[in-house]
Amino acid sequence: MIKLMGIFFSLILSTTANSTLLYDSGEPSGTSLRCVAEGCLGSTEWWVISEFTADQDWDITGFEFFAKDNNGNNGNGDGAGIENYISTSWKIISADDPFGEALLSGTTVATTSTYDLNNLNVTSFLLSDLEILLASGTYYLAQHHDFSDESEYLVLESSYYSEYYHTDYVDREYEVNGTAAVKIIGTVPEPALFGLFGLALMGLSLSRKKKVA
């Protein structure tokens, strides 16, 4: 019985420890005109906010955001590029108001990478090693990237049609037609495995009672 419990426990650990893609709004397919760093349009800080739904409780371990380095393009001057990246800030906000107070928030140094995807210049900001326990429901996820100097990074959109939000959290709030490319990574415990583990515990208890008797 103890050996059987060990098997069940190993199954539970293997299921909950391996991160998977909890939410994916689609691969980056186009550039927006929405800044997701500081220095654009005279503001010190621009945020992009996307809606998502957790269909069950989630243990979020990471996010991946996508942007285009627009520094030096269209007469924008020589802003700070990826070599001047400092950190990425995120917020999880109630579905009541995309511009409302954060339920959860943090600042993390992302792993950055730059590559071409179908002739689109992509910069990925991958946040990992997070521990965010989130109950099922609908929320907003806000993102902002910080650099050592003014920088113009534009959020990349996927091909799905929806809407997202853009704000400087001062006096400008916009609703945008489109979908910001976002991925949420984490784990979801398997209820069936926990049920089996419970049965194993019951079996062990019964076997002990028989020995005592």
Side-chain angles (χ1 to χ4, degrees), residues 24-33 65-68 115-123 154-162 164 177-183:
D24 184 359
S25 67
E27 291 295 328
S29 62
T31 305
S32 72
L33 296 176
F65 304 122
F66 304 90
K68 175 188 175 183
Y115 56 92
D116 288 327
L117 180 64
N118 299 324
N119 296 319
L120 180 66
N121 178 262
V122 176
T123 298
L154 306 180
V155 72
L156 292 178
E157 298 178 346
S158 74
S159 59
Y160 296 110
Y161 182 81
S162 182
Y164 62 95
N177 291 325
T179 300
V182 172
K183 299 181 190 297

Side-chain angles (χ1 to χ4, degrees), residues 13 15-16 37 50 59-60 64-65 76 92 101 107 114-116 118 120 123-124 148 152 154 156 161 169 175 194 198:
L13 286 178
T15 302
T16 58
S50 306
D59 183 356
I60 297 173
E64 188 170 14
F65 304 122
N76 292 321
I92 294 178
E101 293 294 323
T107 298
T114 301
Y115 56 92
D116 288 327
N118 299 324
L120 180 66
T123 298
S124 163
S148 62
E152 183 159 327
L154 306 180
L156 292 178
Y161 182 81
Y169 280 114
E175 182 175 335
F194 281 105

Side-chain angles (χ1 to χ4, degrees), residues 43-59:
S43 173
T44 57
E45 192 171 285
W46 279 101
W47 291 73
V48 165
I49 306 167
S50 306
E51 186 180 45
F52 72 94
T53 297
D55 54 1
Q56 52 189 310
D57 295 351
W58 285 354
D59 183 356

Side-chain angles (χ1 to χ4, degrees), residues 13-25:
L13 286 178
S14 65
T15 302
T16 58
N18 296 326
S19 294
T20 188
L21 201 55
L22 299 173
Y23 172 80
D24 184 359
S25 67

Side-chain angles (χ1 to χ4, degrees), residues 11 98 104 124 133 137 157 162 173 193 195 211:
L11 284 171
L104 299 163
S124 163
L133 299 178
E157 298 178 346
S162 182
E173 299 175 350
L193 286 180
K211 289 181 180 179

